C-alpha cells in the first residue's frame, strides 16, 4: 500500500469533489483492477489535498503510479477555463 498526497488549489479540489475528474479516475481504476490493484482517490475534508492510495503487489510500481496520478491531479485544468 502507498499513500501520496497531492497538494492542490481550492479550484482543483472543487473540480475533484464535483466529479469533473471522475472519468479519468475510473480509467485508472479499471486499469489497476486488471492488474489486481486497488485505487482510492479522495479529497481531504480539512486540508487542500487529494489523497491517492494504491494497494498492489509491487511497492515500486504502485509508488510510481501514485506519483503519476498525484502529479496529473495537481496539473488538472478544467476544459471550461
Amino acid at each position: 500500500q502507498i499513500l501520496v498526497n497531492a497538494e492542490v488549489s481550492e479550484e482543483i479540489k472543487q473540480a475533484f469533489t464535483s466529479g469533473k475528474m471522475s472519468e479519468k479516475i475510473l480509467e485508472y481504476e479499471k486499469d489497476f483492477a486488471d492488474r489486481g490493484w486497488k485505487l482510492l482517490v479522495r479529497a481531504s475534508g480539512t486540508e487542500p489535498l487529494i489523497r491517492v492510495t494504491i494497494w498492489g503487489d509491487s511497492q515500486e510500481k504502485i509508488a510510481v503510479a501514485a506519483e503519476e496520478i498525484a502529479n496529473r491531479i495537481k496539473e488538472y485544468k478544467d476544459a471550461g477555463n
Side-chain angles (χ1 to χ4, degrees), residues 15-16 19-32 35 39 41 52 65 68-77:
F16 177 80
K20 291 183 180 180
M21 294 185 197
S22 296
E23 187 174 317
K24 188 62 181 170
I25 300 299
L26 288 173
E27 288 176 26
Y28 279 116
E29 287 176 343
K30 182 184 178 322
D31 179 45
F32 290 177
R35 299 181 199 188
L39 171 67
V41 181
V52 178
E68 177 186 324
I69 293 170
N71 288 333
R72 287 187 179 220
I73 290 170
K74 288 187 243 183
E75 296 168 354
Y76 177 80
K77 299 283 187 239

Side-chain angles (χ1 to χ4, degrees), residues 5-10 13 43-51:
N5 291 317
E7 190 169 334
V8 296
S9 66
E10 189 59 34
K13 189 173 175 183
S44 168
T46 58
E47 300 176 278
L49 299 173
I50 296 184
R51 302 184 193 285

